[in-house]
Amino acid sequence: MSLLEMRDCDVFYGKAQALHGVTVTVGEGEIVSLIGRNGAGKSTLIKAAIGLLPLRGGTRLFEGADETGRPPEALGRMGIAFVPENRRIFASLSVEENLRIATVMGRRGAWDLKRIYGLFPRLQERAASRGDTLSGGEQQMLAVGRGLLTNPRLLLLDEPTEGLAPLIVRDLVAAMAEINREGVAILLVEQNLKVPLQLAQRQYVIDNGRIQWEGGTEALLADRTRVEAMISL
Ligand SMILES: Nc1ncnc2c1ncn2[C@@H]1O[C@H](COP(=O)(O)OP(=O)(O)O)[C@@H](O)[C@H]1O
Ligand SMILES: [Mg+2]
């Protein structure tokens, strides 16, 4: 049984259909990536998964139970955390205050402030700095740290490495692997294959609101030219 199953999902913005019968599953403790070019439907799928967008067709299952109608708060309590593309850092709060807010909102569990600082030492150095003084990489670490403080079983990450320098991406990849070793499943959204090939066990390629390819990392490497064509601009 999957931890999350989005089955045959149709999502609309008004009359415009953004997802057509999309099925994506994430197993317990798995890293799965959803790859596609700009406008393909990645954020739409992730927002539908956390309940921010309604399904007009299809179902959302969490641990096999139909949770299609659940609002984001309920899904958060069940253990799904969402780190959005724009990271939503509180600009006027310090790094530590941004983190403490998440501990108030989340579930109790192993992830606490100390472990977040262990995972991202840079955040500890910047603990007293205001949100609006952080670099892009620091903002992303803070956003991931905030998600973890809710003690999720599944972390939804929308383009976490977008616009970040290679060295920062390397640190984030190491952190995501560490988070996963602690038993947290990850649905990783990316626009290219670089990070998915390093981290994920399974991949979905989406374009025009439809899953165009799916398979394991070996299969992706074997079919790389065709997949690259689906996601290139
Ligand atoms: N709020 C919105 N209102 C109307 N259309 C939207 C909205 N958000 C996204 N779309 C459209 O839905 C499609 C998928 O968008 P999105 O899921 O954001 O793509 P991605 O995250 O892969 O770049 C695009 O055609 C986009 O223009
Ligand atoms: Mg997006």
Side-chain angles (χ1 to χ4, degrees):
M1 183 207 311
S2 300
L3 190 54
L4 173 72
E5 178 174 353
M6 302 297 289
R7 188 192 290 166
D8 302 327
C9 293
D10 297 320
V11 175
F12 288 72
Y13 294 102
K15 286 182 182 165
Q17 187 164 3
L19 295 183
H20 302 260
V22 168
T23 296
V24 166
T25 66
V26 185
E28 182 99 47
E30 210 180 12
I31 302 184
V32 173
S33 50
L34 178 68
I35 309 161
R37 56 188 145 208
N38 204 15
K42 305 181 298 299
S43 296
T44 301
L45 187 273
I46 223 170
K47 285 177 196 163
I50 193 68
L52 288 169
L53 287 171
L55 300 183
R56 205 171 293 178
T59 35
R60 179 202 310 111
L61 300 138
F62 194 65
E63 290 192 290
D66 189 335
E67 308 290 356
T68 305
R70 294 266 191 190
E73 315 80 76
L75 294 168
R77 281 194 299 274
M78 286 189 276
I80 308 182
F82 169 44
V83 179
E85 212 171 351
N86 61 19
R87 297 159 192 163
R88 295 200 203 133
I89 305 300
F90 294 112
S92 66
L93 300 185
S94 72
V95 165
E96 188 144 324
E97 286 165 344
N98 266 281
L99 290 171
R100 284 196 182 281
I101 281 177
T103 65
V104 173
M105 297 189 300
R107 311 185 327 146
R108 295 202 179 274
W111 291 100
D112 57 15
L113 212 51
K114 190 162 161 255
R115 285 186 74 198
I116 300 302
Y117 286 151
L119 186 66
F120 297 118
R122 184 70 191 146
L123 289 184
Q124 185 155 30
E125 292 163 28
R126 300 283 265 141
S129 306
R130 277 172 54 116
D132 56 7
T133 67
L134 302 180
S135 70
E138 290 164 349
Q139 284 180 36
Q140 188 62 51
M141 290 171 195
L142 180 53
V144 172
R146 249 185 357 196
L148 284 175
L149 284 167
T150 67
N151 282 289
R153 297 171 62 197
L154 171 64
L155 192 56
L156 309 175
L157 299 175
D158 198 351
E159 299 198 31
T161 68
E162 187 195 9
L164 302 183
L167 280 179
I168 309 289
V169 172
R170 195 193 60 186
D171 288 353
L172 265 177
V173 167
M176 287 187 266
E178 170 69 20
I179 292 162
N180 181 246
R181 276 194 296 275
E182 300 290 323
V184 181
I186 296 175
L187 178 60
L188 171 68
V189 164
E190 286 285 341
Q191 282 200 32
N192 58 57
L193 302 182
K194 193 164 172 285
V195 174
L197 282 176
Q198 292 172 65
L199 276 175
Q201 289 106 44
R202 288 192 303 116
Q203 342 266 344
Y204 294 88
V205 177
I206 188 170
D207 201 26
N208 290 317
R210 289 185 170 85
I211 299 297
Q212 307 283 354
W213 190 96
E214 64 180 282
T217 298
E218 295 286 305
L220 176 56
L221 285 170
D223 210 6
R224 188 166 187 158
T225 312
R226 204 161 69 89
V227 169
E228 294 273 15
M230 291 172 190
I231 62 177
S232 62
L233 296 174

